[in-house]
Amino acid sequence: MTPIALAPHVDGAELGGEALPPIGDLSLAGLRDLSVEMGHPAYRGDQVAAWLYRSTVRSFADMGNLPMALRQALAARFRIDAMAVEAEAVSADGETRKVALRLPDGDLVETVLMRYPVRDDGTGAERATVCVSTQVGCPVKCAFCATGLMGFTRNLSTGEIVGQALHFLRWSREVPPVVRNVVFMGMGEPLMNYDATMGAVALLVEGAGLGVHRLTVSTSGWLPGMERLAADPFPVRLAVSLHAPVDDLRSTLVPLNRRFPLPVLLDACWDYQARTGRRVTFEYVLLDGVNDTPALARELVRILRNHDVHVNLIPMNPVSSLPFGASRPEAVEAFHGVLRVAGMICTVRREMGRDIRAACGQLRTEVRERARAAVAVAP
Ligand code: SAH
Ligand code: SF4
């Protein structure tokens, strides 16, 4: 594994002013309005968006086709990068990169780039996916999740969410494959931060030109958000973190289940499917001896049968302070086998970047622990 490199602090001038709001907080309509407010035609707002979302430019001064006065006015009021890179870790195979990004208020969020090259046997596709965070910490506190351990600090803004995707989108324009997929599966519960999350979705689709069907929002089952999403003009893919097919067990793993138990959650999923025509993905993190028995696999088949679903089995990324381990390979195979025999569409997620602690929340925790240790030994 490549050791974590601590990037030097980027100063306020390079960031375009630490205290200024990120321009990514503005929608495309907001950029047009801003342009008019600054005394320029509305189409200048579209030009700004093209620089922000379709180029690798990171300073207003370099936005060559804008009048100098507009570039200066923008630089006086906004910064382009919502965050500075605090630490970066690269997996041994170079295909997974994870950054801890420092927010202006000092906190950290994590963003991961996963590149899926063509495998030696010719299968797989050359593609790149960014996994973004939507909150600092998470209020849901799932039992096996490093982010859940942190508690909840605050929601991220649209600019802070879209800024994470842009970090790797720009990078991938220089080191292809270019990012075409974004998953909202980093730190936090995206549907509890609905407006900021969907603001980022709109900018990625309309600004960066990504396909809406290439964006996936993952939820632990926040029903109010799922209901809003079913009526949203951007029909993203929905992934639901199930992790157990029975209420008792699910309530111990995902405490939100006490508020929205399985029958209610599944009804909301089928409603989403009916209203959007979208197949729902169910995520199931396999925890050794906890939720990985053949009997639970059969129960999972029973509750999902007769619906057009995709089940994604996820090998657990162990978190040092939590009492859960990854399922043994034989248990994963047996669980997968039950679903396959029942004719379900089911994949086992390729393990990415285990050597860089790619489970959400782990790099942030490590950077903070190192910072605390450094303070403790300081004279
Ligand atoms: N809060 C949302 C999205 C972020 S978590 C949700 O829970 O769906 C994204 C996915 O990572 C979820 O399916 C979650 O269960 C999974 N996850 C959390 N901790 C994990 C760990 N230690 N190992 C593997 N997957 C984990
Ligand atoms: Fe929050 Fe998702 Fe982690 Fe649960 S798994 S604590 S919902 S980030």
Side-chain angles (χ1 to χ4, degrees):
M1 169 206 140
T2 309
I4 290 177
L6 286 180
H9 271 288
V10 182
D11 70 27
E14 267 183 83
L15 275 175
E18 281 261 345
L20 302 175
I23 193 154
D25 279 347
L26 295 187
S27 65
L28 293 193
L31 287 173
R32 286 181 208 120
D33 291 348
L34 177 72
S35 180
V36 172
E37 183 197 307
M38 289 177 161
H40 298 269
Y43 76 85
R44 295 289 186 196
D46 295 301
Q47 290 178 319
V48 174
W51 285 113
L52 291 175
Y53 298 110
R54 295 188 190 248
S55 83
T56 51
V57 159
R58 290 179 64 192
S59 115
F60 292 112
D62 292 337
M63 297 185 173
N65 60 356
L66 299 184
M68 193 53 80
L70 180 55
R71 289 186 235 174
Q72 286 168 349
L74 289 169
R77 278 187 47 190
F78 296 97
R79 68 200 149 94
I80 291 186
D81 284 330
M83 296 140 308
V85 176
E86 176 81 15
E88 176 155 33
V90 183
S91 63
D93 64 6
E95 302 300 359
T96 305
R97 311 179 76 88
K98 179 166 188 165
V99 282
L101 298 170
R102 171 120 4 231
L103 298 159
D105 59 10
D107 225 318
L108 293 168
V109 284
E110 291 183 6
T111 311
V112 184
L113 172 73
M114 293 159 289
R115 287 146 46 97
Y116 300 84
V118 178
R119 294 191 189 94
D120 291 344
D121 64 3
T123 62
E126 168 120 321
R127 65 192 166 90
T129 297
V130 176
C131 176
V132 298
S133 297
T134 54
Q135 297 180 315
V136 182
C138 179
V140 180
K141 299 189 171 66
C142 296
F144 51 88
C145 174
T147 306
L149 273 182
M150 297 167 194
F152 173 66
T153 304
R154 71 167 172 92
N155 282 329
L156 296 179
S157 73
T158 290
E160 290 167 342
I161 299 171
V162 82
Q164 298 170 62
L166 280 183
H167 173 82
F168 281 124
L169 190 56
R170 287 196 203 111
W171 186 84
S172 73
R173 286 184 179 128
E174 282 163 11
V175 188
V178 174
V179 167
R180 303 223 178 280
N181 305 287
V182 177
V183 295
F184 295 78
M185 292 187 185
M187 294 163 56
E189 170 49 55
L191 294 186
M192 287 183 172
N193 184 15
Y194 191 92
D195 292 329
T197 296
M198 294 313 285
V201 164
L203 288 171
L204 290 170
V205 173
E206 296 179 337
L210 300 190
V212 69
H213 56 287
R214 291 178 177 273
L215 307 180
T216 303
V217 169
S218 176
T219 182
S220 54
W222 181 245
L223 252 71
M226 291 173 70
E227 281 158 12
R228 280 183 77 183
L229 199 60
D232 200 282
F234 291 99
V236 289
R237 285 179 188 276
L238 178 65
V240 175
S241 295
L242 208 58
H243 311 318
V246 290
D247 272 321
D248 284 0
L249 178 58
R250 189 166 191 272
S251 293
T252 63
L253 298 176
V254 184
L256 193 59
N257 192 69
R258 291 192 197 103
R259 179 137 170 217
F260 303 114
L262 277 167
V264 184
L265 174 61
L266 291 174
D267 274 352
C269 294
W270 312 144
D271 186 51
Y272 185 82
Q273 199 148 48
R275 286 165 72 178
T276 62
R278 284 269 146 120
R279 169 187 291 160
V280 175
T281 295
F282 289 96
E283 294 163 284
Y284 197 107
V285 173
L286 286 164
L287 308 166
D288 184 29
V290 175
N291 64 353
D292 62 351
T293 62
L296 288 171
R298 286 192 290 276
E299 185 59 15
L300 186 61
V301 168
R302 196 188 66 75
I303 64 170
L304 300 183
R305 166 177 291 150
N306 305 327
H307 293 277
D308 180 26
V309 301
H310 174 192
V311 177
N312 194 11
L313 299 176
I314 306 172
M316 193 218 176
N317 265 302
V319 178
S320 55
S321 51
L322 293 175
F324 295 98
S327 294
R328 286 167 299 109
E330 314 84 79
V332 175
E333 190 36 49
F335 200 96
H336 189 194
V338 171
L339 272 62
R340 243 190 347 245
V341 168
M344 302 195 67
I345 301 171
C346 177
T347 45
V348 181
R349 184 181 291 174
R350 281 162 78 179
E351 284 186 54
M352 303 288 291
R354 178 170 279 193
D355 57 336
I356 56 165
R357 299 159 301 278
C360 63
Q362 288 176 289
L363 179 60
R364 174 190 185 270
T365 301
E366 183 169 315
V367 171
R368 281 165 61 102
E369 275 164 9
R370 281 165 41 132
R372 263 199 292 274
V375 171
V377 296

